[in-house]
Amino acid sequence: MDDEDTRDYKEPCPQCSEVNWGLTEESKFYCKSCHTVIEKTKEIDPIETYSLNSKVQSINRGLKRKRKDEKGWDWFVCEAFQFILQKQAEALQKLGVDARIKDSESNASLSEPDSELEAFGLEDNSTGGEISATDRLESATSVCSGSVDGRLFVKENNPLKMSMPLTLAFCYLSLLWLRESITLSDLLRFVFNEHIPYMKAEQYIPDELKIHGPDIKIFQVQYLPEYSVITKKTFELGTFLDLPRFPPITENCYLHPNVLCMKYLMEANLPDELHVWTSRVANKLCLDDATYLTFDPLQERKKMVQYDVQSVALIIVVLKLLFVLDDHTEWTLAECASRSNKNKKGKMLFDYKEWYKTMKVTLDKSQRQLAEEKARFIWKSNRILYYSKNVKGVFTKRKQMARNLHQQFSNLAESAPDDGKQSPSSFLFNWEEENIDMTCFHGHSLEGIMQQNAKTKNSDYWLSSLKKCRTKICKHWTLYDESNFPRSYHFVLSLFCFMLRLELCIVHHEVCSIEYQLFNYKFKGLQKN
């Protein structure tokens, strides 16, 4: 009936210039190509009025339901990122973050001047220029056209343009502002466990926004976000937005080293008494000072404080101060503690050897589980992505084959795919629960180690780095060769890096930085030699 009623109307659509008219249930003309409704209505014969009224179900139903093969809405890349940011904020709120997280992200990403929005690709026009008539026409006439500005967005060469990693920078910046109990390493772990939308981001974009061609490169994630990349982007984002000084990180805040060190000591199953030593070292180097810890984008500081990395590095330095970790001293101290514990009543002395055996089993098991999780992880969602009309069928077939193979390998491994998510927690290891197979070392004493060090006048602390880099572009943090260090040090480093899901070189570099400040006189002596 639509064709008969509209065939005499030949005016092109003012939106897409197509001549393809249909009728709404209110008898208004609408374009079938872009769904634009115009003021023109069907001329109704009075005799047919009763027939029309009987067919009207609801005056508010609007347009007819779209067929599956019709094109989606015209949309811009910034709109899709806004949907993703909103979903990320909602996910963080479900994890217990203050509800103001939504306001923080929306204000940071949408309330800036137009010139700043252009740099992030958050304006209607993310390229800073006019969208060409050809691009608009192609978007309006193609069934699976994708975004209006996707092709130009991909070509734009701007290090601060909006991207998936930058969405996490927005999240972390908001968490810092609210002083929430989530570190960056926690945030990235929640991303991997899919508690926070990032991987398969295309499934969080409404179906009406068809993802095609260049859009896939923008939104489809194929690797895990890197800690150093998100840290750098967060710093650049805060500086670019010209944000004021953030709320201070005081002693009671979760990100303060005194709090984080205690958290990581508990998670690593180490004695509580070590916390006194980490606090002393942090205080001596002013690493616990609120001015140093608080993020201030207007300062001339070139990088952000890596709260979690700094805290575990403090623990490693303290372990080296007390146990040396040179593959000799720690085992000698362990033998002394073991002899004392045989006839000791009450509080046990900390035995490094027993701790090592307990943590080695735990670490190996957890590393195997993580490797299996990564191997089973499916990077692509069930969302239909329009690569092109010609290859759509090929990709759909490949996706189905991949699902079938995944199911077959799961059956061979006698384990069904785990569709459920692990309960989110900032603790990777929990030693408070009763476990007859594992020893909890939290309450063990360091008294024997203190006495032994006093007798030997231990001055065997070895430096993890010989020289401080003097070059403007320092590559020192990328260097770590296991063969150059004692096995005990490597094990401790590996344990804490696994807890944070970081590369060894990142934590090792922070250890070197703390040692440089703590033993600067030794570095000067080495440099003279």
Side-chain angles (χ1 to χ4, degrees):
M1 291 294 295
D2 284 3
D3 294 338
E4 295 179 7
D5 295 330
T6 62
R7 62 187 176 186
D8 294 329
Y9 188 68
K10 303 297 183 182
E11 292 295 324
C13 172
Q15 179 68 24
C16 66
S17 302
E18 289 286 307
V19 181
N20 187 14
W21 298 105
L23 292 175
T24 69
E25 290 181 358
E26 292 82 19
S27 298
K28 288 187 177 182
F29 278 57
Y30 79 98
C31 178
K32 293 182 179 180
S33 298
C34 67
H35 304 285
T36 299
V37 181
I38 62 176
E39 293 298 323
K40 182 175 177 59
T41 59
K42 174 187 173 183
E43 297 179 0
I44 303 176
D45 192 289
I47 300 177
E48 298 177 353
T49 302
Y50 77 95
S51 176
L52 174 65
N53 291 336
S54 65
K55 293 181 181 179
V56 175
Q57 298 178 4
S58 173
I59 196 169
N60 294 322
R61 284 186 60 184
L63 301 179
K64 293 181 179 179
R65 179 175 295 180
K66 296 189 297 182
R67 297 189 302 269
K68 290 185 178 180
D69 60 343
E70 290 182 357
K71 77 175 287 295
W73 298 339
D74 288 340
W75 60 282
F76 290 85
V77 172
C78 67
E79 295 176 287
F81 275 119
Q82 290 169 11
F83 279 113
I84 294 172
L85 284 169
Q86 181 182 8
K87 292 296 183 181
Q88 290 175 339
E90 291 173 356
L92 287 169
Q93 189 176 354
K94 289 180 181 179
L95 293 177
V97 172
D98 194 312
R100 290 178 297 169
I101 187 75
K102 291 183 179 181
D103 298 330
S104 300
E105 291 200 11
S106 61
N107 290 340
S109 60
L110 302 178
S111 301
E112 298 299 322
D114 291 345
S115 60
E116 294 187 355
L117 290 178
E118 288 181 10
F120 291 101
L122 289 173
E123 195 184 14
D124 283 349
N125 177 8
S126 62
T127 59
E130 293 294 330
I131 303 296
S132 67
T134 304
D135 289 331
R136 287 188 179 274
L137 181 59
E138 184 177 348
S139 175
T141 57
S142 175
V143 172
C144 50
S145 58
S147 63
V148 173
D149 59 342
R151 186 175 289 103
L152 295 177
F153 188 91
V154 171
K155 293 178 181 178
E156 184 182 1
N157 185 19
N158 186 339
L160 276 179
K161 75 176 180 181
M162 198 62 195
S163 63
M164 287 305 300
L166 199 60
T167 63
L168 295 183
F170 271 113
C171 289
Y172 186 50
L173 207 61
S174 301
L175 292 171
L176 285 180
W177 181 265
L178 297 174
R179 294 185 292 185
E180 289 290 341
S181 301
I182 297 180
T183 62
L184 180 54
S185 58
D186 290 334
L187 179 68
L188 298 185
R189 183 155 49 85
F190 293 153
V191 165
F192 173 74
N193 293 330
E194 298 186 271
H195 296 301
I196 298 175
Y198 184 81
M199 261 80 80
K200 308 175 187 177
E202 61 271 14
Q203 69 185 359
Y204 302 103
I205 301 174
D207 293 335
E208 290 79 5
L209 276 59
K210 304 297 183 183
I211 301 178
H212 171 68
D215 305 325
I216 299 174
K217 297 180 181 179
I218 299 172
F219 297 105
Q220 191 176 65
V221 177
Q222 297 183 351
Y223 52 87
L224 292 171
E226 295 182 13
Y227 184 98
S228 56
V229 171
I230 305 302
T231 302
K232 181 180 178 182
K233 287 188 176 295
T234 304
F235 178 80
E236 293 174 345
L237 181 61
T239 304
F240 179 81
L241 294 177
D242 200 23
L243 296 177
R245 189 174 187 265
F246 277 44
I249 304 297
T250 57
E251 191 172 357
N252 296 325
C253 292
Y254 181 77
L255 297 178
H256 194 277
N258 288 351
V259 179
L260 279 180
C261 282
M262 177 56 77
K263 186 256 187 187
Y264 292 126
L265 285 171
M266 293 174 60
E267 194 168 0
N269 199 13
L270 286 165
D272 301 332
E273 293 181 9
L274 285 172
H275 186 253
V276 176
W277 288 86
T278 57
S279 299
R280 288 177 181 176
V281 175
N283 183 261
K284 181 178 178 61
L285 303 180
C286 298
L287 299 180
D288 59 351
D289 181 67
T291 303
Y292 164 76
L293 293 170
T294 303
F295 179 46
D296 187 354
L298 301 181
Q299 280 188 342
E300 296 182 357
R301 189 186 302 173
K302 300 299 181 182
K303 63 177 182 178
M304 296 181 66
V305 176
Q306 300 175 342
Y307 304 98
D308 41 10
V309 177
Q310 177 181 271
S311 297
V312 298
L314 280 169
I315 296 174
I316 295 175
V317 170
V318 167
L319 289 175
K320 288 182 65 179
L321 283 169
L322 299 181
F323 299 94
V324 186
L325 303 183
D326 61 353
D327 290 342
H328 173 70
T329 307
E330 64 273 18
W331 304 118
T332 302
L333 294 173
E335 291 176 2
C336 297
S338 179
R339 288 195 298 267
S340 299
N341 287 335
K342 288 180 181 179
N343 302 319
K344 189 175 181 62
K345 295 181 181 180
K347 202 170 187 179
M348 302 286 288
L349 298 181
F350 178 69
D351 186 336
Y352 178 87
K353 183 178 181 180
E354 291 300 317
W355 174 81
Y356 170 82
K357 290 193 295 185
T358 299
M359 298 308 299
K360 185 72 166 62
V361 172
T362 303
L363 180 60
D364 290 345
K365 179 181 177 182
S366 300
Q367 286 177 332
R368 286 195 299 270
Q369 291 176 344
L370 179 60
E372 292 173 1
E373 289 178 20
K374 289 183 176 180
R376 288 197 302 263
F377 189 82
I378 300 176
W379 288 92
K380 295 182 180 179
S381 68
N382 295 326
R383 172 80 179 257
I384 298 177
L385 304 178
Y386 298 94
Y387 292 85
S388 72
K389 292 181 180 180
N390 298 329
V391 301
K392 176 184 174 183
V394 176
F395 277 96
T396 303
K397 186 175 181 179
R398 286 182 181 177
K399 182 180 290 187
Q400 185 61 45
M401 289 176 62
R403 291 196 194 119
N404 293 339
L405 287 172
H406 182 265
Q407 182 64 44
Q408 292 175 21
F409 279 114
S410 297
N411 294 336
L412 287 173
E414 298 182 352
S415 62
D418 184 11
D419 294 331
K421 299 176 182 178
Q422 298 178 359
S423 300
S425 173
S426 60
F427 281 85
L428 188 62
F429 302 129
N430 188 354
W431 301 95
E432 294 299 327
E433 299 177 358
E434 295 183 1
N435 191 335
I436 58 174
D437 297 327
M438 298 292 181
T439 304
C440 179
F441 294 89
H442 291 165
H444 287 212
S445 173
L446 298 175
E447 180 183 355
I449 288 87
M450 298 297 99
Q451 294 175 353
Q452 189 68 19
N453 284 343
K455 291 178 181 179
T456 58
K457 297 182 179 178
N458 179 22
S459 59
D460 297 330
Y461 192 101
W462 53 273
L463 296 174
S464 301
S465 176
L466 293 180
K467 291 185 178 181
K468 179 73 173 178
C469 289
R470 298 181 179 276
T471 57
K472 293 182 179 179
I473 304 177
C474 175
K475 297 293 184 180
H476 196 166
W477 67 273
T478 64
L479 306 176
Y480 176 76
D481 187 353
E482 176 185 351
S483 62
N484 293 334
F485 299 93
R487 286 172 301 200
S488 289
Y489 173 77
H490 178 72
F491 172 77
V492 171
L493 184 67
S494 301
L495 173 63
F496 284 104
C497 286
F498 180 80
M499 286 165 48
L500 302 185
R501 301 287 174 84
L502 296 178
E503 298 176 2
L504 296 175
C505 59
I506 295 178
V507 177
H508 173 68
H509 178 258
E510 190 67 23
V511 171
C512 297
S513 177
I514 293 176
E515 289 179 343
Y516 180 80
Q517 299 175 65
L518 193 61
F519 301 105
N520 192 25
Y521 66 95
K522 282 194 174 184
F523 277 93
K524 290 180 178 178
L526 288 170
Q527 289 174 355
K528 289 179 181 179
N529 294 335

